[in-house]
Amino acid sequence: MIQIFSRIAARSPRRATSASHPSSSKHRPGQFPCCSPAYRGITAISTSNPMRSGDGNSEGQDAPLAEGKDHGCSPGVQSTPDIEKKYVHRVYDAIAPHFSSTRFAKWPKVAGFLNSLRPGSVVLDAGCGNGKYLGFNPECFYIGCDISPPLIEICAGRGHEVFVADAVNLPYRENVADAAISIAVLHHLSTEDRRRKAIEELIRVVKRGGLVLITVWAVEQEDKSLLNKWTPLCDKYNEEWVDPSSPMVRNKSATTLDSIEETDEDTRAVKQTDDQLKNSYDGLEDKTLIMDEHDKTQQEYFVPWHLPFHRAEIGGASAAALQNGLAKKDDKKGTVVYNRYYHIFVEGELQRLVAGMKNAAIVDQFYDKSNWCIVLEKL
């Protein structure tokens, strides 16, 4: 095991935040030795002040990469677009405890993938959320990372070995894992370059012959009415979404939007949570644009999360979000409504992202429960 862990070190030690839970010195499947010398190269940072890639921390951006390699990652890809900071990072930080309480069911396809791995396999979960898949197959060893410090704290509290890290800049050396999973993560990345880079990172960290499972939400929803209940963003946007101004949305200020249903990301079981939600955003009216009905397939959406009032004031994040216009109150239902950014994938899009990657091949591809999924093998 020491040989395995000695190869695991942070590519960007100042950027990765360790949130490992204390464990015994006797190692067992499903648990990494947090006191291993392999972790000494990783600077532990308080999760209350994470150094996120592209979030304005120049020191973190200048951190050296492992073995002096830049892995072909341009500064533009590593720089986090404004829409992701506001409508992914900050949202999941605010809703983490409530989100975690709804994430416990294991998706059968993911469970089957993990159970198919050889005993002793090292598995990376990139975008692990509350860690529900970490330790699923007790015969394997797990490491996880997520961009949300509150979610990582939840994982650490459950005894998992985890880091705060960006999917486009994973804090692990090459060839350290036997398998990797990315479950419902890529659709939160707002540019094609960042989505491709995240896939390249997953391939980079697995060994030759290692497998990577990726799942994303599909435009081709089994319940097609959902697309009409999400808020579509204007698809004529700046490629990098780095403008500090808020993103444009379709102008519906004079109308209301029917209930937007919370959708379980694993079972796609729809939960009715509201009857009506006003779709008006202060300060956006002068930037809205009516979308041409003949434009290409709409793929950019805001998908809401309804946070009950009694869960909303933990840490004061919701109060700040309401004040800054990043969330809205629904007094009738007693919730604070956050919008989460999604790029919904069309059929074949995942395959096109992988096309041209000479070090990986698609060994399986399928559609299941409104998700597009692929399994890659590193060559």
Side-chain angles (χ1 to χ4, degrees), residues 231-246:
T231 304
L233 304 182
C234 175
D235 64 347
K236 293 179 170 57
Y237 54 84
N238 181 280
E239 174 62 20
E240 293 296 330
W241 284 98
V242 293
D243 190 328
S245 60
S246 298

Side-chain angles (χ1 to χ4, degrees), residues 19-21 100 128-132 134 144-146 148-163:
S20 301
H21 190 273
S100 178
C128 61
N130 69 345
K132 70 178 183 179
L134 298 176
C145 63
D146 199 279
S148 172
L151 286 173
I152 287 299
E153 288 178 352
I154 290 171
C155 293
R158 296 174 176 177
H160 300 306
E161 300 297 336
V162 290
F163 296 95

Side-chain angles (χ1 to χ4, degrees), residues 1-12 32-33 36-42 65-67 69 71 118 120-124 141 143 163 170-179 204-208 210 378:
M1 289 307 301
I2 294 301
Q3 291 180 347
I4 293 177
F5 300 128
S6 65
R7 297 198 303 271
I8 302 175
R11 292 172 51 221
S12 304
F32 266 10
S36 166
Y39 287 88
R40 293 176 184 170
I42 303 175
L65 302 181
E67 301 178 2
K69 298 180 181 179
H71 302 287
R118 295 189 305 272
S121 294
V122 175
V123 184
L124 166 66
F141 297 87
I143 48 177
F163 296 95
L170 296 176
Y172 311 105
R173 293 189 182 275
E174 295 88 343
N175 309 313
V176 298
D178 298 289
R204 180 183 65 79
V205 300
V206 299
K207 303 172 184 177
R208 180 175 296 183
K378 185 170 181 176

Side-chain angles (χ1 to χ4, degrees), residues 249-261:
V249 297
R250 187 185 302 191
N251 188 0
K252 295 183 181 178
S253 58
T255 64
T256 58
L257 188 66
D258 290 338
S259 170
I260 302 180
E261 300 161 349

